[in-house]
Structure formats: structure tokens, C-alpha cells
Amino acid sequence: MSKNFQARVITNSALNSKIYLLEIAPLEETTVPSPGQFYMIQPDSSFDPLLKRPFSYLRKKANRIQFLYAIRGKGTGLMKNFPQGKIINMTGPFGNGYPVHNDNRIPLLIAGGTGIASILSLYCELNKKYLIYGAKTRDELVLIDEIEKSGGEFFICTNDCSYGKKGMVDELLRDFISSHQDIISSVVIYACGPKPMLKSISKIASENNIKGFASLEENMACGFGACLGCAVKTKKGYQRVCKEGTVFPFAEIVW
Amino acid sequence: MSKNFQARVITNSALNSKIYLLEIAPLEETTVPSPGQFYMIQPDSSFDPLLKRPFSYLRKKANRIQFLYAIRGKGTGLMKNFPQGKIINMTGPFGNGYPVHNDNRIPLLIAGGTGIASILSLYCELNKKYLIYGAKTRDELVLIDEIEKSGGEFFICTNDCSYGKKGMVDELLRDFISSHQDIISSVVIYACGPKPMLKSISKIASENNIKGFASLEENMACGFGACLGCAVKTKKGYQRVCKEGTVFPFAEIVW
Amino acid sequence: MDNLNLSVNIGKLKLKNPVMTASGTFGYAREYSEFIDLNRLGAIVVKGISLKPMEGNPPPRICETPCGMLNAIGLQNVGLKNFLKEKLPFLKTLNTKFIVNILGNSISDYVKLSKSLEDSGIEAIELNVSCPNVKKGGISFGTNDKMLAKLISKVRQSAQRITLITKLSPNVSNIPLFAKIAEDSGSDAISLINTIPALAVDIETWKPRLANITGGLSGPAIKPIALRMVWEAAKTVKIPVIGIGGIMNANDAIEFLLAGATAIQVGTGNFVNPCATIDIIDGIESYLKRKSIDDIKNIIGGINGNCTGDNSDN
Amino acid sequence: MDNLNLSVNIGKLKLKNPVMTASGTFGYAREYSEFIDLNRLGAIVVKGISLKPMEGNPPPRICETPCGMLNAIGLQNVGLKNFLKEKLPFLKTLNTKFIVNILGNSISDYVKLSKSLEDSGIEAIELNVSCPNVKKGGISFGTNDKMLAKLISKVRQSAQRITLITKLSPNVSNIPLFAKIAEDSGSDAISLINTIPALAVDIETWKPRLANITGGLSGPAIKPIALRMVWEAAKTVKIPVIGIGGIMNANDAIEFLLAGATAIQVGTGNFVNPCATIDIIDGIESYLKRKSIDDIKNIIGGINGNCTGDNSDN
Ligand SMILES: Cc1cc2nc3c(=O)[nH]c(=O)nc-3n(C[C@H](O)[C@H](O)[C@H](O)COP(=O)(O)OP(=O)(O)OC[C@H]3O[C@@H](n4cnc5c(N)ncnc54)[C@H](O)[C@@H]3O)c2cc1C
Ligand SMILES: Cc1cc2nc3c(=O)[nH]c(=O)nc-3n(C[C@H](O)[C@H](O)[C@H](O)COP(=O)(O)OP(=O)(O)OC[C@H]3O[C@@H](n4cnc5c(N)ncnc54)[C@H](O)[C@@H]3O)c2cc1C
Ligand SMILES: Cc1cc2nc3c(=O)[nH]c(=O)nc-3n(C[C@H](O)[C@H](O)[C@H](O)COP(=O)(O)O)c2cc1C
Ligand SMILES: Cc1cc2nc3c(=O)[nH]c(=O)nc-3n(C[C@H](O)[C@H](O)[C@H](O)COP(=O)(O)O)c2cc1C
Ligand code: FES
Ligand code: FES
């Protein structure tokens, strides 16, 4: 069940010049989120900015939720000044989350940029797993330690070659497909990142007959299905990213 | 000369549950203010609240300016959270300030509520002087120590009798007039406080043939004469509180 | 002060309190059932319904502006038939009034909708007249006096028992004129304002921030405009006026009541705080208690001095 | 990129850059001389001038609203004669263009004002048409198509050399209609928008927050509405459009230019930051440099794709 609740800021610290880690403790009992779900966070109590902002949760611990956020505009610019102890307004958890299959399919997770938050929420909960993770520069890669500790096999790239392989995640995906032909028919992809990246991955997946899911983003006013603002085109007509999504099968999305 | 400048918050501390003392250091050279002048302070960098708020300066020290402010609404509600070191936007100093006479007139200063800020900016600079200061309760009286050290003779009252005499400053003014008949013809009043108080004082003064000046308040958008928003009715027509005022002779004001 | 009376009447509808939800911001109510007790609401206005389902506009459909937001949802809705089948049953389980907002592109669309709804036992409808009349070159019904009069009269004729609320467009020079037309043509109440047409531009991509180019502005930014229009309308007509526009909290709601609104609707405020309506009901109660006023009717129109509330302690 | 061209033409006026000040927010310019180098401005529009001095409205005249402010200054001004004697000499010392905003309650007021100003060698006037026509029962010139056409034609006839800017009222359903009327009646340019009539209520005192009851809403709150109207107007007319409404910084100004404005005016922004105009000029320059655009004209109307700027690196 989703809730409208207040939370206390436990920590809010910069991982690098652009990306912050926020840990909050809800002041009341809230539903435990499942991988891929998100919350709406109010950056300020004034009406400018007005709307809450959507953020995937990264990790959940006993009555604690962690987020990873990049500084973009007004809202995130204010969030980075959240002092420890501040009481903030939130709603959530929202979204359908990643569908997890209790069979022998092998999950391949793909994250671009801050998409890593959503992807890691799933990664931590899986056993056998692969991860492809890309960012523009080494500076924008985060939580590498965490990924290393998580036990899966992972591949990292940066556009400028400052860490891992040079290039984009879709190149790594092609490499992965060629080098894992033995298992590829069991692989199911979960991807989160910028739209062009998701589009390209879904194309490669379909060429190789791999099933997969993408977590989409759209401007959101409510987060819980009321405003119809977050619609995306799918083969079933417009669907709400916040309600029928955020996670859609590749095959359903009209890019 | 007035300026648009940035300043660093040096201290911002509560004197009681409602009234705060703010000390700032301009980041550039600014004009030294004269008693009764005010500054416009921006509470927040968002557009809500939008306008800067006017505050009389309380004290000036080497490249430091102090203000006294009461928490009223949105703007002052945000100001109380100014952390030390924060850079804020300001303009000023503005207003005509209190006219000070280099003759043998005897200044009687009268302050109600946060009007004490403006009045103290003058009080500190005078030699022979009297002060009448009133507030609703003891809790809302501030800087009594400071007043004691300043060397003048002073009278304090609270509406609820929790400190000093019981009653309003206008009663103290009547008492003062009866008990100082010897000097009363040399007295000139400077008053700052709520409008009903100023009106009542100006009436008493006129009945007793005492000259005086009141520092007025009006809603302000600019503070420097451009918007014509702060007009008050005077015998010379509408005048701008921020430019022709804030200080007007009692006899000029149309109450 | 124990029997505080918050109830108000809108046409034949008796509301337990004046706090309603604004069409298009409350889905079909179920979306909010996780957050609030829907039965506490004065009334629920559901997302605008057209004869046939409408798929809406391509994304992006919304964006934020200073103290407001733009939307160009494109009137996406399930259509009359699905509404009656899929949404109505849930609404009927609630112990509160609901009002069906309707829209069309011709007078006959509106007539058919209101007739069907009346026949289905719906107690009240709200006409969204900010829609283009396709037959008349796409001019909005709500900005043309003659078209508006004809539209409302025809709807009134075909659905005589239903409580008929006309939702005025803010996009006119002369609100009193349109308020009067709504009254004279047979509306039981008017509601205002709908969103104000607006634009936002992305200076990096040189594209409008909405795929539809323009959208409707809502939220606190429009509150002073809405208040002025509500005040003008309430001075002009005798039927109840429902105030809408930027209501985020109880203080905002009270401003509208004082300006002459008999009830209010909360729109964008629901997105920012899904419990906004309940907070507003509670806040109005506290305000009345603090002011020792025992009937909400005593504050309605208070700024004109034509209310009977004891306001002397201010 | 060393010779960045920011200059634009409004009628016969050649402005060094498109950044002007909005009438009523910049006094008679001297008020800002402590803060900025007035000579850097594209143009200064002074506080509206009437034939006779006007004393204005009683206080309170202004109050704040979400992301905006209301004003009911009541058109207080020194009148034509004092303007020419006391204010004009200072304006003439400046190395920038200035435009005299004028207002009246009858066509003959406007005609007399424009003729006198032309005779005094003033290069440009801006007609504030949001004033009531007292002869026609107080209907605003700016919301009545026939009255507006007549007003502008008469002014044009009596002052043929002056650059004539008509400042449109936002209080109409159909901006393109009024833009076209302004063009067809002889305006050299149009500017928009003026403030939007609005209301705010003090819920403690039950009084309107302004003594005048209603006031004009300005500031960031109205920016999306203004942008939409500027875009609609610019698509409709060939004469230059001057964008006004909630411009606080360079990004806001660029939004208006992209929507089709040839120049912009800064109003409320000057109160919040008296150096706003200069910051905007600097900000536009940086933007053009960053985008490798060497002429401001290449971004005007950019959202319609009818500009020639190299926009490919986005
Ligand atoms: C379901 C979902 C989950 C998300 N999870 C994360 C996350 O875990 N970490 C993270 O850093 N970001 C995440 N985002 C993106 C995040 O919501 C935006 O970066 C944030 O809202 C920007 O707010 P702002 O006020 O700083 O930017 P604004 O000032 O509002 O805008 C700055 C820029 O960001 C874009 N933007 C604004 N709002 C949104 C929005 N709601 N969605 C997408 N883009 C937007 C604007 O188009 C603009 O270009 C998520 C978005 C969605 C929809
Ligand atoms: C020349 C001048 C000097 C002042 N000096 C001081 C001072 O030294 N210390 C101090 O505590 N206060 C002073 N004030 C009053 C102070 O400016 C207001 O209390 C402040 O602007 C309130 O801001 P807010 O955002 O908290 O309140 P808002 O949310 O804006 O409003 C809350 C209440 O305060 C009133 N108010 C709002 N703005 C003003 C304003 N500009 N002037 C007067 N009342 C207003 C409103 O009517 C409302 O009732 C001064 C005012 C003026 C005009
Ligand atoms: C996302 C969204 C969708 C809306 N859909 C409708 C609608 O279908 N029918 C209608 O009459 N009004 C619709 N409106 C207008 C609102 O009902 C309301 O009149 C307007 O938003 C102003 O109120 P607010 O400022 O409280 O949001 C919609 C508004 C929003 C923000
Ligand atoms: C205090 C104030 C006074 C104004 N006086 C005038 C005026 O005399 N004539 C006029 O045409 N517009 C006047 N305006 C309107 C502005 O010129 C401008 O059109 C409007 O404020 C919108 O721009 P903004 O949002 O940048 O302020 C005034 C606006 C304000 C805020
Ligand atoms: S964000 Fe409102 S419906 Fe999805
Ligand atoms: S505050 Fe603008 S003129 Fe005084």
C-alpha cells in the first residue's frame, strides 16, 4: 500500500560532484518496496518548486530507505542542501517494480547513469546475475564497491574510457551476447537508463530474441495514477509510467 | 548610495521564541547606514516568496550589520533557518532616516514591539536621551541589557504587566509629559512601532505641542522608490514610505 | 461549538462539507483510496467523460512552471460506456456525493451524455465547456456567449432532474457575463476556474515543453486570478459558485469562501499532497472553531460584509 | 564570436539589445541609476503618463501572492507637463532609447498625449490600453475590438512619425484578434502582457489585501500565460512583438525570444533584483556564445523552426 508520509533525513552526502546518496527514515510504518519501485520526494515546503520529484529507491534496510540522485535542476538543487534531521514529505512506494521470475532464467541487468539506483535495488536481491553498467565518465560511476561485493558478474564502461571499457552499454551488450551464446536463450534483461539507451538495448534484444524489461521515466505530477501526466505510448495504447509501469516489456513499448 | 549586494550570515540566533538577531557581513563595500534606515533582505532564492523583505538595521559595526526580526509569515519563517555562512541577497540602505538636530532639543525615543530595532539604531548614537519601550509581554522585550548600558533614561512597559509598568507606551508618554514639565518644551519625539501606537502618540504629542517624527511601515516591493507600492497619505499627497520616508513629521501624516 | 455545521447545498445536492475534488485531478476516486477516507469528502468530481473513449495527447503531457504546472492530457478518458460499467460501481459504494464532469465537441454530444447520465441515476454533472466546438471552427463553447447559452439550455431541457453545474472558462474578458448566461440558461451552479492556456519553452532544445505545444496552467500561480473571477461571479449570480484554482490548504479554501464561493474544488493540490482535501476539511473546522463561528455559511461571501458571522474579534 | 549582434529594431527605434524595462516598474529611470549603468539597456519604458497628474490609490497598494505580486497603484503619475519639465531632461542625458507609456480615459486623452509627445521630440510611445473608457461605461479599451481599433487609428493619425507600440491586455479570449487589430490600425509594434486582474483576501481581517480590492498580477506566476500569448501574437502579425510577463533572468528572456518576441521587458523582476536587466543582457550574451550563434535575430521565433540559427549541437 502506498502512503503519504513524513521522513527524517539520516544522511545526505555527495558521492561525487553530481550524485548524492540520501538515506531517510519514515516517521511511520510504510510498505516495504520491491525492486524497481519509486517514491515521490518533496524538495521544499514552498510552492516553487511545486511538485514532488520521483526517485527509485536504491536500498531498503530496517525502517530506512536509500536513494541515489543526480543534481539536475531546481528540485535536486534544493535536495542537496537537506540537512541531517530535516523532516521531508514523501509518497510511495509506487510503480509495478521489476517482475522477478522464480525459474531458471538468468537475469542480465543493464544500467545507464543514475539508472543504477533502480537496477541495484534488484541486483542485490538476485543470486546468479550479470550486470552491465555505463556512465559518461569515471566520475559518474558510483557504488562500484557495492557492485563488487554483490557477487554477480559485471561489466563496466565509460564513454570516455576513463574506467572500464570505452563506449556505451549497448556495445557491452553485443559483446555479452557473443561471449555468452551458451546461456543467452535463458537470459532476461532488466534495463534502466536514458531513453536512447533503452531503445537501443531493446532493439538489440529483439534482434537476438532475448526477452526483457525496461523501466521508463516521464514527467510526473502525482506518481500514483491520478493525473495521467506520465503516459507513454505502448502497443496497448497510452499507459501510465507510474502505475502500469514503470517497468514494461520491451515488446510493448512504442519507442 | 544604495546597493544591490550579497552578504554572508555571521550569526542568526533566537532572542526568544519569536524574535531573532541576524548579523551579516556584506561581501563588498557598502554605504554606512544612518539611524532609521532599512535594508531589503531576500528570504530565499526561489520565487516563493518572491519579494525581498524590509528590515531596519539595529546596529552597524566594522563591515557588519545587525538586524532584529520577528517571525511573521513565509519570509521570516525561512530567514530563521539561515545557517551561518549562507550568502544572501540584499539591497540598501534605504529611507531618509531620523533627522538628528545639532541643537539643544532633547530626544525622546518611543518603540513598540520590533520597532525597537529602528529606535535603537538611533538611541546608541545620542547623548542625553530618553526611551519609552513597550511590548505585549516580557517575552517580547529584547535587548534590555543593551538599553541599560546605553546611558539614557528609559521606561519600559508590557501590556500584561509581566515586566516594567503595565499598559501601553502611550500611557507612559502621558506620565513622562506630566513628570518632565520642565524640559517638555525642548523634547522631540522619534517613534517606531505599530500604526495604532504611532497614531495615538502623535495625537498626545500634538495635544501637548510636542514635535515629533514617526517611522512608518507599508508593504514594499522594491524599497527604493520605483514601484510606488508603499505610498502613505500625507498632507502633501501620497508619499513613498521607502523614499520620502520612512520617517515623517507627525504633523504631515494623515492617519 | 460541538455541532459545527459544514454542510452546503449545490442545486439539489446536499454536501456534508464544501470540499470537493477537481475534475481530472482525482481520477475516478479509487486512486486516492489508499491515502484518504473518501467518505469524508464533500463531493468527488471525476475525470471528464466523453461519449467515446479518448486516448489523449502524446507525451510529454505535463511540466512544472513557477508555482504551477501545465497539462495537456488531451482529455484522455474511458468514455461513457466504460465509465458506467467499470467506474460507477465503485463510486456508488461511497458514502459521499459524486459529480460527473462531461465534455463534447458538439451540443449533441453534451445532450446525449447528460441524458444517459440522468437515466443512470447520476445526481449531478459538471459541464466542461472549455472544449472546442468542432462544428463552429473549434471555438471554445466557454468563450462564446451565444454558444454557451444554447449549450446549457439544450442540456437543461434534456436532463431536467440532474443538478447541472457549468464550469466556466477563465479565458474571457467578462466573467460576470458568462456567469449570468450560465444562470439564465438553467445551471444550478457554476464552478470556476478551469486551467488557463499557457506555454513553456525548453531553451536547450528550442521545443515547447509539452508535445501539444500549449497546456493549461493550474496551481497556486493562478489562485489570485481565480479568486478575482469567483468574487466577480458570486456578486453577479444567485446560484452557488464553486471556487477552483490553486487551492493547496485550508487558508486558500477560506479565501475562496470569503470571496463568495459556496464550495471549493482541490485540483493540483491533490498531486502535491494526496491528503490535501482532508487536511483542508480539518483546517476549515479549526478555523471556524478559532473564530467561534458555528456554521460555514456565515463566512461565505464575508469580504462583502454580507455574511452574518461574528467577525468582531479580529 | 567577437562581434555578437544583439541589436533589434522596433518600428523606427534601433535598440542596442532587446532588453527593455516595463512601464511602472522602473520609475522614470533615475531610481535605478544607483544600481546599474542605464546606458546598457536596450530601452527604458517609463511609468505611464496621463494628461493631468494622478494621485493613485490608497494603501495597501501591493501584496505578494505565490510567485507573484498584486498591484493597484492606481496609475499614480506626475502628468504630462511635469513629465516634460522634470523627468524628460534626465532621460535625454542617457545614451539609450526611451519609450513613454501613456494612458487615458478617452480617445482624445490619448490623442493629445501622443501629439504633445511627438512635438516634444519623443521617439516612441507605448499605449496602455488596459484603462477604462469612461465614456463607454468604463469598459477597458483593450478588451473591446472596435474601441481598440478606433483608439489606435486616431493616435496614428495625430502622431505619424512617432514609433507607436500598443500594449495589449491579457484579459481577452482571443489574443490573435487583438494583435491583428493593433497591426491593422497602424501600430509599429505590440507589447504584451499587461498584468492580469486578480484578488487576494486576508482571512484574519476578512478584507481584500488591497484597498482597491482587486489588483494586477505580475511576476513569474504569469510567465506561462504571457509566453502563450506572445507566441500566438507573433504567429499572427508581422510587426515586432515585445514579450512581457514574469521575466526574472536570461533563461526567461530567451524563452520569450524563442516564442517569437523581438524584444522583452522586465517588470517585477526589477524589484526583486534591481540589476536584473543587466544580468539578463549578460546572460543572453553567454547563451548565444555557448550556442555559437552570432546574431540574436537567429533565435527569435526559434520554436517555430523559422529561424536560421545553428541549433544542431543540442
Ligand atoms: C520513475 C522515476 C524514477 C527516477 N529515479 C531517479 C533516481 O533514482 N535518481 C535520479 O537521480 N533521478 C531519478 N529520476 C529522475 C528525477 O526524477 C529527475 O532528475 C528530477 O525530477 C529532476 O528534478 P529537478 O527539480 O532537479 O529538475 P527540474 O528543474 O525539474 O528539471 C531539470 C531537468 O530535469 C528534467 N526533469 C524534470 N522533472 C523530471 C521528471 N519527473 N522525470 C524526468 N526528468 C525530469 C527536466 O526535463 C529538465 O531537463 C527518476 C524519474 C522517474 C520518472
Ligand atoms: C521600513 C520597514 C522596516 C521594518 N523593519 C523591521 C524590523 O526591523 N524588524 C521586524 O521584525 N520587522 C520589520 N518590518 C516588518 C517586516 O518587513 C515584516 O514583518 C516582514 O516583511 C514579514 O515577512 P513575512 O514573509 O514573514 O510575512 P508575510 O508572509 O509576507 O506576511 C505575514 C504578515 O506580515 C505582514 N507583512 C508582510 N510584508 C510586510 C511588509 N513589507 N511590511 C509590513 N508588514 C508586512 C502581512 O500583511 C501579514 O499580515 C519592517 C517593515 C518595513 C516596511
Ligand atoms: C492534470 C489535469 C487534468 C485536468 N482534467 C480536467 C478535465 O478532464 N475536466 C475539467 O473540467 N477540468 C480538468 N482540469 C482542470 C481542473 O479541474 C481545475 O479546474 C484546474 O486544474 C484548476 O484548479 P487547481 O489549480 O486546483 O488545479 C484538469 C487539471 C489538471 C491539472
Ligand atoms: C507596480 C507596477 C506598476 C505598473 N504600472 C504600469 C503602468 O503604469 N503602465 C503599464 O502599461 N503597465 C504597468 N505595469 C505592468 C508592467 O509594465 C508589466 O506589463 C507587468 O507587470 C507584467 O510584467 P512582469 O511580470 O515582468 O512584472 C505595472 C506593473 C507593476 C508591477
Ligand atoms: S504521475 Fe500522475 S498518473 Fe502517473
Ligand atoms: S517600496 Fe517601491 S516605491 Fe517604496
Side-chain angles (χ1 to χ4, degrees), chain C residues 34-306:
Chain C
E34 289 184 290
F35 299 110
I36 61 172
D37 175 2
L38 295 167
N39 296 328
R40 286 202 59 202
L41 296 173
I44 291 165
V45 185
V46 300
K47 175 78 188 152
I49 300 292
S50 50
L51 276 178
K52 298 263 167 281
M54 288 174 69
E55 72 160 353
N57 288 328
R61 290 178 170 188
I62 56 167
C63 72
E64 194 174 295
T65 63
C67 288
M69 62 174 282
L70 303 189
N71 91 77
I73 306 301
L75 302 168
Q76 175 179 346
N77 78 88
V78 297
L80 177 66
K81 220 170 72 187
N82 293 322
F83 170 75
L84 295 175
K85 207 171 66 188
E86 291 161 20
K87 309 294 177 181
L88 189 56
F90 176 73
L91 289 167
K92 283 195 166 163
T93 67
L94 300 177
N95 179 22
T96 182
K97 302 290 177 185
F98 60 89
I99 298 166
V100 182
N101 179 285
I102 63 171
L103 60 111
N105 294 123
S106 66
I107 291 183
S108 92
D109 285 358
Y110 285 96
V111 165
K112 281 183 205 151
L113 280 160
S114 27
K115 190 137 183 45
S116 302
L117 290 167
E118 184 168 272
D119 292 347
S120 313
I122 302 292
E123 288 180 273
I125 53 175
E126 182 182 56
L127 304 188
N128 176 0
V129 298
S130 301
C131 312
N133 181 340
V134 290
K135 290 203 185 130
K136 302 276 170 175
I139 298 173
S140 151
F141 284 100
T143 61
N144 183 297
D145 48 357
K146 297 205 181 65
M147 256 163 43
L148 185 64
K150 191 163 165 200
L151 171 65
I152 299 170
S153 310
K154 294 276 180 195
V155 169
R156 179 76 293 175
Q157 277 165 33
S158 63
Q160 304 196 352
R161 281 162 295 132
I162 213 160
T163 290
L164 173 57
I165 303 167
T166 301
K167 182 166 180 180
L168 299 183
S169 164
N171 210 20
V172 301
S173 309
N174 191 343
I175 276 286
L177 173 70
F178 287 84
K180 200 78 185 62
I181 287 172
E183 179 173 48
D184 293 345
S185 310
S187 308
D188 297 306
I190 53 177
S191 58
L192 68 165
I193 62 176
N194 214 315
T195 57
I196 305 177
L199 172 69
V201 179
D202 185 325
I203 68 166
E204 295 307 323
T205 62
W206 292 26
K207 287 198 189 124
R209 295 178 92 86
L210 301 182
N212 187 53
I213 306 184
T214 60
L217 179 62
S218 64
I222 68 169
K223 187 185 69 167
I225 303 173
L227 264 170
R228 187 259 305 174
M229 293 186 167
V230 163
W231 174 72
E232 288 179 341
K235 282 193 306 175
T236 310
V237 295
K238 295 204 183 61
I239 52 176
V241 173
I242 302 165
I244 324 170
I247 298 176
M248 306 298 284
N249 53 42
N251 289 358
D252 294 335
I254 294 163
E255 274 195 86
F256 277 86
L257 297 170
L258 289 171
T262 297
I264 57 97
Q265 293 181 9
V266 182
T268 303
N270 293 308
F271 304 151
V272 178
N273 169 15
C275 307
T277 43
I278 303 302
D279 293 350
I280 290 172
I281 297 168
D282 293 343
I284 292 176
E285 280 192 9
S286 322
Y287 176 85
L288 293 179
K289 283 185 192 147
R290 178 160 69 80
K291 294 275 180 189
S292 304
I293 296 169
D294 59 6
D295 192 332
I296 186 103
K297 296 182 195 71
N298 290 339
I299 76 169
I300 293 168
I303 61 165
N304 295 321
N306 59 5

Side-chain angles (χ1 to χ4, degrees), chain B residues 112-128:
Chain B
T114 50
I116 192 66
S118 168
I119 287 297
L120 274 189
S121 73
L122 176 61
Y123 197 63
C124 308
E125 307 219 343
L126 298 173
N127 294 319
K128 189 171 167 61

Side-chain angles (χ1 to χ4, degrees), chain C residues 67 171-173 197-199 201 203-204 206 224 227-228 231 251 255 258 287 290-291 298 303 307 311 314, chain D residues 67 171-173 197-199 201 203-204 206 224 227-228 231 251 255 258 287 290-291 298 303 307 311 314:
Chain C
C67 288
N171 210 20
V172 301
S173 309
L199 172 69
V201 179
I203 68 166
E204 295 307 323
W206 292 26
L227 264 170
R228 187 259 305 174
W231 174 72
N251 289 358
E255 274 195 86
L258 289 171
Y287 176 85
R290 178 160 69 80
K291 294 275 180 189
N298 290 339
I303 61 165
C307 61
N311 184 26
N314 297 306
Chain D
C67 289
N171 210 21
V172 300
S173 309
L199 172 68
V201 178
I203 67 165
E204 295 307 323
W206 291 26
L227 264 169
R228 185 261 303 173
W231 174 71
N251 288 359
E255 273 194 86
L258 289 171
Y287 176 86
R290 178 160 68 80
K291 294 276 183 187
N298 290 338
I303 60 165
C307 62
N311 184 22
N314 298 306

Side-chain angles (χ1 to χ4, degrees), chain A residues 2 4 52-53 219 228 238, chain C residues 34 58 61-62 64 272-273:
Chain A
S2 320
N4 184 36
K52 292 191 168 95
R53 273 42 181 169
N219 292 355
L228 308 184
Y238 285 120
Chain C
E34 289 184 290
R61 290 178 170 188
I62 56 167
E64 194 174 295
V272 178
N273 169 15

Side-chain angles (χ1 to χ4, degrees), chain B residues 79-234:
Chain B
M79 283 171 60
K80 75 167 195 280
N81 300 325
F82 279 175
Q84 198 184 320
K86 185 184 169 78
I87 305 297
I88 59 174
N89 294 316
M90 300 179 53
T91 41
F94 299 127
N96 57 356
Y98 295 106
V100 185
H101 308 281
N102 287 321
D103 52 21
N104 51 8
R105 275 184 273 186
I106 301 165
L108 168 59
L109 280 56
I110 306 183
T114 50
I116 192 66
S118 168
I119 287 297
L120 274 189
S121 73
L122 176 61
Y123 197 63
C124 308
E125 307 219 343
L126 298 173
N127 294 319
K128 189 171 167 61
K129 59 199 171 186
Y130 296 93
L131 171 66
I132 296 175
Y133 172 27
K136 283 203 196 111
T137 64
R138 177 190 185 127
D139 222 48
E140 294 183 19
L141 288 171
V142 288
L143 303 174
I144 302 288
D145 294 2
E146 171 94 10
I147 295 170
E148 282 174 352
K149 275 186 284 176
S150 282
E153 202 177 325
F154 60 92
F155 310 90
I156 292 182
C157 61
T158 49
N159 293 6
D160 66 350
C161 190
S162 52
Y163 190 93
K165 301 225 170 159
K166 178 174 161 63
M168 318 270 265
V169 293
D170 42 7
E171 297 169 44
L172 286 196
L173 173 57
R174 283 192 207 279
D175 293 351
F176 182 91
I177 295 172
S178 357
S179 57
H180 292 74
Q181 279 297 329
D182 50 332
I183 58 162
I184 206 72
S185 64
S186 308
V187 160
V188 53
I189 294 176
Y190 301 90
C192 185
K195 205 155 183 174
M197 169 196 121
L198 296 176
K199 187 174 169 181
S200 161
I201 285 173
S202 123
K203 190 160 164 274
I204 298 170
S206 121
E207 287 162 8
N208 291 275
N209 269 317
I210 308 171
K211 290 234 169 64
F213 300 88
S215 180
L216 301 183
E217 294 191 0
E218 245 321 317
N219 290 355
M220 291 186 172
C222 68
F224 48 83
C227 73
L228 308 183
C230 63
V232 285
K233 191 102 187 168
T234 73

